Amino acid sequence: MRVRVTVMLKDGVLDPPGKAIGHALHTLGFPNVGTVRAGRVIELELDETDPGRAKAQADEMGRKLLANLVIETFTTEVVR
């Protein structure tokens, strides 16, 4: 089963990549872009058939390794 973990910086944490992306979009002619936040997406293939257990495992992985909970938040979803 495939799960997706999306990790983002918490609000208020400086986001240099997001700032750079926002600036680049403005210079490319997209002036209506407001704040940009950059994060990362991690897809995991788990040897699991139960979606609830797969999500629980991904949540645990997020807490233990994939996200720095001091400055980041994460969400998980089963994508099969």
Side-chain angles (χ1 to χ4, degrees), residues 2-6 41-44 58 75-79:
R2 182 172 294 155
V3 294
R4 183 176 298 137
V5 181
T6 303
V41 175
I42 304 156
E43 284 196 0
L44 304 161
T75 59
T76 58
E77 63 181 310
V78 176
V79 293

Side-chain angles (χ1 to χ4, degrees), residues 19-41:
K19 289 279 189 196
I21 293 166
H23 177 72
L25 289 170
H26 287 169
T27 61
L28 289 171
F30 300 99
N32 60 336
V33 174
T35 303
V36 177
R37 305 288 290 169
R40 61 188 184 280
V41 175

Side-chain angles (χ1 to χ4, degrees):
M1 184 156 296
R2 182 172 294 155
V3 294
R4 183 176 298 137
V5 181
T6 303
V7 181
M8 297 294 294
L9 288 169
K10 289 182 177 179
D11 289 338
V13 175
L14 187 62
D15 185 359
K19 289 279 189 196
I21 293 166
H23 177 72
L25 289 170
H26 287 169
T27 61
L28 289 171
F30 300 99
N32 60 336
V33 174
T35 303
V36 177
R37 305 288 290 169
R40 61 188 184 280
V41 175
I42 304 156
E43 284 196 0
L44 304 161
E45 186 71 36
L46 301 180
D47 187 17
E48 181 60 68
T49 57
D50 180 83
R53 284 198 303 255
K55 185 174 182 341
Q57 288 176 21
D59 287 339
E60 185 176 0
M61 291 175 199
R63 281 190 302 279
K64 289 186 173 183
L65 176 69
L66 302 177
N68 176 349
L69 298 180
V70 174
I71 61 169
E72 295 174 318
T73 61
F74 71 92
T75 59
T76 58
E77 63 181 310
V78 176
V79 293
R80 296 184 195 255

